[in-house]
Amino acid sequence: EVQLVQSGAEVKKPGESLKISCKGSGYNFLNYWIAWVRQMPGKGLEWMGIIYPGDSDTRYSPSFQGQVTISADKSISTAYLQWDSLKASDTAMYYCARLTTMPIPTSLFYYYALDVWGQGTTVTVSS
Amino acid sequence: EIVLTQSPGTLSLSPGERATLSCRASQSVSSSSLAWYQQKPGQAPRLLIYGASSRATGIPDRFSGSGSGTDFTLTISRLEPEDFAVYYCQQYGSSRGTFGQGTKVEIK
């Protein structure tokens, strides 16, 4: 079974650091981009950035550039999302998801979609 | 950055009715990278439609997607009780993605 399993809920104080994880199994983890998605309480989904575990190529959404660090350890099929100094506004649910690329028949192009999602990690930042 | 605007914000319908959800992009989007997701309370999102009109594995045929360029539509032909949820469109291009703000389909 293809799945992404995320680390458990975290409660932190402002200014603390944090690293949450997303472990893939059931497929070749190195060959698929992993996206991180934020969902603040009662709000919609926000694309944070993606990483290609095969070579750690990482792309950030402008809103999150410099605010978080996305990394991966391909030896253990795990992607990470990291903060150096948390703020109360980082309180949210964070999802990882696999970005699948499917070739379009008789075409040079590809479909792109987030086809497998982790269960989410709740991060609460409060003094 | 491409902005996706979904409408309406909330759709109040009864089971058995047809739901039509709209997603409009601030600039042209490749159909191959336009997807729709369903999210129920307390759950992770689930892929429904990819490539603007292709159903993901296991998705019932009452769900259909259409559109191109800047205007895309998700249609649920006959609402089942389990379809009441929030729906998001999403696009991916130039190694970045964006989501619409979501449409909540609620029981009337």
Side-chain angles (χ1 to χ4, degrees):
Chain A
E1 179 191 5
V2 175
Q3 58 179 351
L4 296 172
V5 178
Q6 297 185 230
S7 50
E10 301 276 0
V11 179
K12 292 288 190 180
K13 290 181 166 47
E16 291 187 331
S17 63
L18 176 64
K19 193 173 189 177
I20 62 175
S21 66
C22 168
K23 183 174 177 61
S25 61
Y27 73 100
N28 191 339
F29 187 76
L30 272 60
N31 291 352
Y32 290 80
W33 293 83
I34 292 289
W36 285 97
V37 176
R38 182 176 79 174
Q39 187 166 40
M40 300 178 76
K43 302 298 183 182
L45 305 173
E46 299 176 88
W47 183 288
M48 301 178 72
I50 54 173
I51 186 165
Y52 190 76
D55 62 6
S56 290
D57 186 5
T58 307
R59 315 290 175 90
Y60 294 93
S61 170
S63 301
F64 293 93
Q65 179 83 49
Q67 308 304 308
V68 296
T69 301
I70 295 171
S71 61
D73 184 339
K74 59 185 181 183
S75 70
I76 54 172
S77 301
T78 300
Y80 301 97
L81 179 64
Q82 180 178 354
W83 294 260
D84 291 336
S85 180
L86 286 160
K87 302 184 285 286
S89 57
D90 293 317
T91 294
M93 175 73 82
Y94 293 89
Y95 294 102
C96 63
R98 186 180 79 166
L99 179 68
T100 200
T101 56
M102 296 165 276
I104 300 174
T106 68
S107 163
L108 297 176
F109 299 99
Y110 291 82
Y111 294 122
Y112 297 93
L114 300 173
D115 68 334
V116 179
W117 291 69
Q119 81 277 19
T121 296
T122 300
V123 174
T124 303
V125 184
S126 174
S127 54
Chain B
E1 184 175 90
I2 296 176
V3 176
L4 300 178
T5 302
Q6 293 185 239
S7 62
T10 302
L11 203 48
S12 298
L13 295 168
S14 301
E17 289 194 296
R18 182 184 187 90
T20 303
L21 288 67
S22 174
C23 175
R24 178 161 290 177
S26 59
Q27 58 187 278
S28 187
V29 168
S30 170
S31 295
S32 66
S33 58
L34 193 288
W36 290 90
Y37 303 85
Q38 177 194 65
Q39 187 179 33
K40 297 180 181 179
Q43 296 185 17
R46 176 176 71 145
L47 176 65
L48 293 177
I49 300 287
Y50 65 91
S53 60
S54 298
R55 277 186 300 277
T57 303
I59 301 304
D61 61 6
R62 63 181 181 272
F63 291 92
S64 64
S66 63
S68 64
T70 60
D71 290 296
F72 298 88
T73 300
L74 174 69
T75 301
I76 311 171
S77 59
R78 294 174 312 279
L79 282 164
E80 296 288 340
E82 62 267 28
D83 299 336
F84 291 92
V86 180
Y87 294 84
Y88 296 94
C89 59
Q90 176 254 322
Q91 68 81 33
Y92 177 77
S94 303
S95 301
R96 290 176 183 166
T98 52
F99 290 93
Q101 82 279 19
T103 290
K104 182 179 182 180
V105 178
E106 65 176 22
I107 299 176
K108 186 175 182 179

